[in-house]
Amino acid sequence: MSIIKRDFYARDTLIVAKDLLGQVLCRKVNNKICKGIIVEVEAYTQDDPACHAYKGLTGRCASLFAEPGTAYVYLIYGIHNCVNISTYKKGYGSGVLIRALEPLQNIENTNGPSKICKAMCITRELDGKDVKKMNSGLWLEYGEKIPKNKIVQTTRIGITKAADYKWRFYIKDNKFVSKL
DNA sequence: GATAAGATGTTA
DNA sequence: AACATCTTATCA
């Protein structure tokens, strides 16, 4: 397994989102390593009304504007954390929300964006971390390539704006994709 | 099985 | 006031 490099993230957000399927999200806490295969994602860009970066750079979403391959971790509904990876280029607010994982190592039950964070101890301390470095405690590695006919593209979940954008991608027939 | 409601805190 | 969610309760 090798770590995913900058070039991967420095592309169009939709492409990165699709290509993240099958890659492996890794987290090190208390000398334990957790791993899971990414099976479901959503793309968000600065031109997208549903994106936190739509209204421009704010304190909360600054990580979306950072170098490609930066973690954006935020609190939603007062209770739950969600994790994104910033994409495209520095100064442009875009990223990919990791919605579901297939457990590989030291985790289970990760069929939702906040469940991932709970299972892997991803908190807002990780906001702004560089996921291209293992010593951030959170990074991604190359996994299996997913054949095109196994990738489903559809509408995003839990948003009210731009609800017609088909910017959600998941692996067909995978048990760990979140429910409607 | 399905659907509805409640928890909860940060943000602009 | 809105919010990129999850769990529990209450039906059937």
Side-chain angles (χ1 to χ4, degrees), chain A residues 3-20:
Chain A
I3 198 158
I4 298 181
K5 296 197 281 287
R6 185 183 185 282
D7 287 355
F8 182 93
Y9 305 105
R11 297 180 293 157
D12 184 89
T13 306
L14 275 295
I15 306 283
V16 178
K18 186 157 55 72
D19 283 358
L20 274 172

Side-chain angles (χ1 to χ4, degrees), chain A residues 15 64 71 89 96-97 138 150 156 180:
Chain A
I15 306 283
L64 288 174
K89 63 182 181 186
V96 177
L97 170 70
L138 181 71
K150 294 280 281 181
R156 293 176 290 183
L180 258 183

Side-chain angles (χ1 to χ4, degrees), chain A residues 20-91:
Chain A
L20 274 172
L21 295 175
Q23 315 302 349
V24 181
L25 183 68
C26 311
R27 168 85 168 119
K28 187 172 182 181
V29 255
N30 306 327
N31 273 338
K32 248 167 90 173
I33 294 184
C34 312
K35 292 189 180 186
I37 303 169
I38 298 172
V39 300
E40 182 183 3
V41 296
E42 286 177 4
Y44 290 89
T45 77
Q46 199 172 341
D47 307 307
D48 159 23
C51 182
H52 292 166
Y54 181 63
K55 289 177 188 152
L57 178 58
T58 64
R60 175 166 75 149
C61 68
S63 299
L64 288 174
F65 290 82
E67 268 294 301
T70 301
Y72 170 45
V73 184
Y74 67 94
L75 184 71
I76 192 65
Y77 299 117
I79 312 173
H80 302 294
N81 287 311
C82 296
V83 61
N84 296 236
I85 310 297
S86 73
T87 56
Y88 190 39
K89 63 182 181 186
K90 189 172 180 174

Side-chain angles (χ1 to χ4, degrees), chain A residues 15-179:
Chain A
I15 306 283
V16 178
K18 186 157 55 72
D19 283 358
L20 274 172
L21 295 175
Q23 315 302 349
V24 181
L25 183 68
C26 311
R27 168 85 168 119
K28 187 172 182 181
V29 255
N30 306 327
N31 273 338
K32 248 167 90 173
I33 294 184
C34 312
K35 292 189 180 186
I37 303 169
I38 298 172
V39 300
E40 182 183 3
V41 296
E42 286 177 4
Y44 290 89
T45 77
Q46 199 172 341
D47 307 307
D48 159 23
C51 182
H52 292 166
Y54 181 63
K55 289 177 188 152
L57 178 58
T58 64
R60 175 166 75 149
C61 68
S63 299
L64 288 174
F65 290 82
E67 268 294 301
T70 301
Y72 170 45
V73 184
Y74 67 94
L75 184 71
I76 192 65
Y77 299 117
I79 312 173
H80 302 294
N81 287 311
C82 296
V83 61
N84 296 236
I85 310 297
S86 73
T87 56
Y88 190 39
K89 63 182 181 186
K90 189 172 180 174
Y92 182 82
S94 61
V96 177
L97 170 70
I98 313 292
R99 287 194 57 88
L101 302 175
E102 177 177 333
L104 275 186
Q105 191 178 314
N106 288 327
I107 54 166
E108 51 191 14
N109 216 19
T110 46
N111 61 337
S114 157
K115 293 185 185 176
I116 290 170
C117 295
K118 196 178 164 213
M120 284 198 167
C121 299
I122 296 173
T123 64
R124 276 165 293 157
E125 291 166 33
L126 292 172
D127 184 50
K129 294 277 187 193
D130 185 351
V131 300
K132 305 182 293 300
K133 292 181 187 166
M134 278 184 70
N135 65 10
S136 296
L138 181 71
W139 70 96
L140 285 92
E141 292 176 355
Y142 291 104
E144 284 180 53
K145 181 155 174 74
I146 307 299
K148 242 197 258 167
N149 62 5
K150 294 280 281 181
I151 295 177
V152 182
Q153 175 172 9
T154 181
T155 51
R156 293 176 290 183
I157 288 183
I159 55 169
T160 51
K161 297 167 205 151
D164 56 326
Y165 287 31
K166 294 193 172 179
W167 282 9
R168 170 172 170 248
F169 301 89
Y170 64 89
I171 299 177
K172 195 178 179 182
D173 298 327
N174 188 287
K175 281 175 283 198
F176 299 94
V177 171
S178 64
K179 312 259 159 67

